[in-house]
Amino acid sequence: MCGIAGLCQTDGGPLPPEADQWVRAMTDRMAHRGPDGSGLWREGPVCLGHRRLSIIDLAGGGQPMCSAQGDLTVTFNGEIYNFAELRQELQARGARFQTDSDTEVILEGYRIWGPDCLERFDGMFAFALWDAPRRRLFCARDRFGKKPFFYTVQQGRFHFASEVTALEQVPGLNLTLDPAALMRYLAYEYVPTPQTMYKEVVSLPPSHWLLLEDGALRVGRYWDMPVPEEDDPRPVPQLCEELRDLLARAVRRRMVSDVPLGVFLSGGIDSTIVAGLMARQSATPIKTFSIGFSEASYDESRYARLAAAAFGTEHHERVLSAAQCADTLPGIISCMDVPMADASVAPTWLLSGVTREKVTVALGGDGADELWAGYEHYIGFNLAERYNALPAGLRRGLVEPLARLLPSSAGYINPRLAVETFLRAAAAPAWQRVQTMLTALGPDAQADLLAPAVRERAPELLRPANLFAPTRAAYEHWQPPQAAAPLARAFHVYVRQFLLDDILVKVDRCSMLHSLEVRAPFLDKDVAAFAARLPVRYRLHGFKRKWLLKKAFADLLPREILHRNKRGFQIPVAQWLRGRLRPLMEDLLAPEALTAQGLFNPAAVRALMDAHLSGKADLRKPLWTLLVFQLWWRARRDGRGPAC
């Protein structure tokens, strides 16, 4: 796991003399991504930089790496898990290797297969490869976007980096706030790929390549999620056996490391499966890591201990108070290169720190909830159709008035807020339903909240069809429309938006700030394709989430974990905003600060704060989304780096 950056003159001419120091400044800004070494390579129109976290071939895997013939050079972030098999295949075709690293497999794979090499790589990666004979730069990002790749074309140069803050180090680049991106952030709690908060910076989408050649920039897709089948003739026991084999192989591949490794263990279904498969395939006790909270209502560490005992792991646990978590949160958010309003960033960052004390690589359960229907919203999506089939009089005259009588709570689940969110989603068109359940601030709320100068620069986004256009594109991705049922399309929205720009960003940034690599067996290309092809009823079976996954691993999972409900990291945001984080909120959202900034309507923001502080409404999502943006904005304004 590493950090990459570089420049390429688009006209093929030589770079300015200062290019070396610009690229070095970019990689230095990402030193946390690669504390074990740095490298710089320059030739003609291109300069590539690298920060290394040594995982495979500690002595010989330095980068940027040149091929044995000296004609290809790559800077690479990530891991190619099937590199050993690919190496043998390439050697049989005459490839010569100088190292034992997976990086060199990219070079030789590209030499023999060209851009089609991407179809053969199983891994998490982002890389830029300079093909000197063809005078072209070939870049790519992995299938699910586990590794980031940002770029901008300015001043006749193509600039790229693993983090947006690295691009800020290049003198003279225009990096201006995009009002449309701000509005999408307020709706999604992140900026959907390929957009970024800066108008001039693009995030390369997952499963895509980028080619810079002859002054032209082209971007294309090399892989797509399979269309779910309406039926599958294989009996359930056979499907379970195939899934067990695929996931066991995915875990085994991700256990290849020349440095110590372990596993994030929350005690949920997904991490417990990964830990159990690791334990079965390890000759020595594996290392597991979890955090707990001293407050009983937020602590689920007993499930992690239960799983650790079942598998005989060497378990490491850190118990924190919610207050410690709250106090850490503002600093963590300020270190992020992109604003992302997932409050579980705090425990993820803390868990990464605890884990890094013992190991350099950790496996986790990321991707299982999105691919296997782990979220309650999948059930809500299906229930919406049934609810809408009820007579309108019953819905409007009985159900909706009763919903307003439900109790409100600042806890993990607020019954009234949950039902109100469901009713809004049920009233939305099917393509918008998932995002309606996740949205912080829709068009109506933004119309009041944003300063006129911002609204006037992107007025079209105050209409749902435009604000949520990325969601519609993800929902309608498969053509013709009958290619996939509505629920199958909801899976695609979750994978291509929430997983991509929330979950994977959170895990990548939090782990990398501690120089820790995290691997995701559930996002193995074969495991993910198997899940995606299944009829959706095997993933959401009535009201039973992760149905086939649980069935396949029932003998591995401790019974108490097998039958527990999913719960993510519990963060008492609603309480914090009324207590421990209130001074920070009052400071960052103060009228004078907002007036000087010129992005938000101070009176509307104050009204949100007053309603939440009084307990009349639970506005944790919009207020937290605003607070995170202000923390990110302040860090950018102050030029603060990611050293936490």
Side-chain angles (χ1 to χ4, degrees):
M1 198 64 62
C2 308
I4 63 173
L7 307 173
C8 186
Q9 203 73 24
T10 56
D11 63 3
L15 285 167
E18 305 90 345
D20 286 22
Q21 67 187 60
W22 296 341
V23 174
R24 191 167 286 112
M26 286 198 284
T27 55
D28 286 350
R29 189 59 174 257
M30 300 183 293
H32 52 282
R33 299 188 77 94
D36 298 329
S38 63
L40 188 79
W41 178 90
R42 176 174 177 166
E43 181 181 278
V46 66
C47 184
L48 304 179
H50 191 265
R51 293 292 312 205
R52 188 182 187 205
L53 178 63
S54 302
I55 304 292
I56 301 289
D57 190 7
L58 305 186
Q63 295 186 50
M65 182 179 288
C66 296
S67 62
Q69 294 87 338
D71 56 344
L72 305 175
T73 307
V74 70
T75 183
F76 159 55
N77 171 24
E79 303 286 348
I80 305 298
Y81 300 122
N82 61 338
F83 79 97
E85 301 99 294
L86 292 176
R87 181 189 178 98
Q88 291 181 354
E89 186 177 350
L90 291 164
Q91 285 176 323
R93 298 189 59 170
R96 293 181 293 143
F97 288 87
Q98 309 170 93
T99 73
D100 295 322
S101 73
D102 56 341
T103 306
E104 200 170 6
V105 167
I106 295 176
L107 290 167
E108 296 306 314
Y110 171 83
R111 178 189 307 285
I112 290 177
W113 298 310
D116 290 343
C117 65
L118 297 171
E119 299 174 7
R120 297 171 179 262
F121 296 158
D122 176 15
M124 53 178 180
F125 54 84
F127 66 79
L129 186 154
W130 175 243
D131 182 339
R134 295 178 178 84
R135 306 287 288 178
R136 71 183 184 189
L137 188 70
F138 177 61
C139 309
R141 193 177 181 196
D142 66 67
R143 288 169 176 78
F144 293 97
K146 286 170 278 187
K147 295 294 101 188
F149 189 98
F150 297 99
Y151 68 92
T152 182
V153 181
Q154 297 185 50
Q155 302 174 345
R157 293 189 302 270
F158 175 82
H159 312 71
F160 71 88
S162 296
E163 295 187 8
V164 177
T165 49
L167 296 173
E168 295 174 355
Q169 307 313 301
V170 181
L173 285 188
N174 291 322
L175 297 174
T176 53
L177 184 73
D178 184 353
L182 172 61
M183 295 169 78
R184 289 220 165 97
Y185 164 78
L186 294 174
Y188 286 85
E189 302 181 353
Y190 52 79
V191 181
T193 298
Q195 214 170 3
T196 72
M197 196 60 82
Y198 293 135
K199 188 180 297 184
E200 300 84 0
V201 178
V202 180
S203 174
L204 182 65
S207 306
H208 278 66
W209 51 261
L210 180 152
L211 195 63
L212 178 61
E213 187 175 21
D214 297 328
L217 186 69
R218 292 188 290 133
V219 175
R221 181 189 300 274
Y222 67 87
W223 185 82
D224 202 357
M225 286 182 63
V227 179
E229 300 171 0
E230 293 187 10
D231 206 355
D232 193 312
R234 293 171 292 179
V236 169
Q238 181 183 339
L239 291 172
C240 289
E241 185 64 27
E242 289 185 29
L243 177 56
R244 284 192 290 267
D245 290 345
L246 287 172
L247 198 51
R249 185 182 68 174
V251 168
R252 184 165 58 252
R253 282 180 169 175
R254 285 156 182 78
M255 292 174 68
V256 176
S257 172
D258 293 335
V259 294
L261 79 164
V263 59
F264 286 168
L265 183 59
S266 68
I269 296 290
D270 315 324
S271 66
T272 303
I273 289 174
V274 172
L277 291 174
M278 285 182 69
R280 282 183 175 179
Q281 300 179 86
S282 176
T284 58
I286 64 169
K287 295 179 173 64
T288 53
F289 301 88
S290 68
I291 62 170
F293 290 103
S294 55
E295 294 85 353
S297 60
Y298 294 101
D299 182 54
E300 295 190 299
S301 58
R302 71 181 185 89
Y303 291 105
R305 291 193 294 272
L306 192 157
F311 303 138
T313 76
E314 180 186 315
H315 191 56
H316 303 270
E317 176 185 296
R318 185 74 50 82
V319 177
L320 309 162
S321 68
Q324 287 175 287
C325 199
D327 292 345
T328 306
L329 203 46
I332 299 169
I333 293 167
S334 297
C335 292
M336 296 289 179
D337 66 318
V338 293
M340 192 267 297
D342 184 338
S344 66
V345 68
T348 304
W349 185 85
L350 292 163
L351 175 60
S352 296
V354 170
T355 305
R356 188 61 175 91
E357 293 172 4
K358 301 291 183 181
V359 302
T360 310
V361 177
L363 275 65
D366 299 319
D369 285 323
E370 292 77 15
L371 287 164
W372 290 95
Y375 300 120
E376 295 91 343
H377 292 158
Y378 283 106
I379 296 174
F381 186 94
N382 265 359
L383 280 178
E385 291 297 323
R386 301 184 188 182
Y387 176 74
N388 287 333
L390 294 175
L394 180 62
R395 285 184 279 124
R396 295 170 187 161
L398 180 62
V399 177
E400 294 174 16
L402 284 175
R404 291 191 285 271
L405 299 178
L406 287 171
S408 183
S409 167
Y412 180 65
I413 295 177
N414 181 335
R416 185 193 302 170
L417 182 62
V419 173
E420 288 175 349
T421 300
F422 168 78
L423 293 175
R424 282 197 302 273
W431 67 265
Q432 194 183 321
R433 196 161 289 152
V434 168
Q435 191 52 47
T436 300
M437 289 186 277
L438 297 170
T439 289
L441 288 153
D444 292 343
Q446 291 194 33
D448 294 331
L449 193 71
L450 292 167
V454 177
R455 297 197 310 267
E456 291 163 6
R457 290 172 66 187
E460 70 281 0
L461 291 192
L462 293 177
R463 295 191 294 273
N466 294 327
L467 183 64
F468 299 116
T471 298
R472 188 163 197 163
Y475 184 85
E476 297 178 349
H477 174 76
W478 291 302
Q479 295 299 329
Q482 63 269 25
L487 182 57
R489 293 179 179 277
F491 277 93
H492 194 265
V493 170
Y494 256 113
V495 170
R496 286 311 191 198
Q497 291 196 331
F498 186 71
L499 173 67
L500 168 64
D501 289 314
D502 185 307
I503 302 300
L504 295 180
V505 170
K506 173 182 66 178
V507 173
D508 175 77
R509 302 313 195 273
C510 289
S511 61
M512 283 288 91
L513 284 168
H514 290 284
S515 305
L516 174 76
E517 175 176 302
V518 178
R519 302 174 175 179
F522 282 101
L523 294 179
D524 175 272
K525 70 180 181 67
D526 296 326
V527 173
F530 175 88
R533 286 192 185 97
L534 285 174
V536 291
R537 70 176 183 278
Y538 286 152
R539 291 178 272 171
L540 181 63
H541 197 74
F543 294 123
K544 297 177 181 177
R545 293 170 283 159
K546 300 183 180 176
W547 182 75
L548 188 73
L549 183 65
K550 291 180 179 179
K551 204 170 189 65
F553 292 98
D555 66 330
L556 178 70
L557 294 165
R559 184 172 181 81
E560 193 172 357
I561 292 175
L562 177 64
H563 297 292
R564 68 172 294 205
N565 288 324
K566 172 185 170 52
R567 299 191 82 172
F569 275 132
Q570 298 182 60
I571 306 298
V573 173
Q575 296 177 25
W576 287 350
L577 293 175
R578 292 177 180 135
R580 200 167 193 91
L581 292 180
R582 179 173 178 174
L584 178 67
M585 180 176 68
E586 296 272 12
D587 175 42
L588 290 175
L589 300 182
E592 55 273 20
L594 296 178
T595 299
Q597 184 186 44
L599 298 176
F600 303 105
N601 176 353
V605 174
R606 185 71 246 181
L608 286 178
M609 291 171 59
D610 289 342
H612 183 79
L613 293 172
S614 69
K616 294 178 181 177
D618 184 346
L619 298 172
R620 67 180 89 180
K621 280 177 74 71
L623 286 172
W624 181 249
T625 303
L626 285 168
L627 185 58
V628 167
F629 175 81
Q630 294 299 92
L631 285 165
W632 175 84
W633 175 273
R634 184 175 67 179
R636 301 283 65 74
R637 180 197 66 193
D638 296 344
R640 194 171 306 163
C644 290

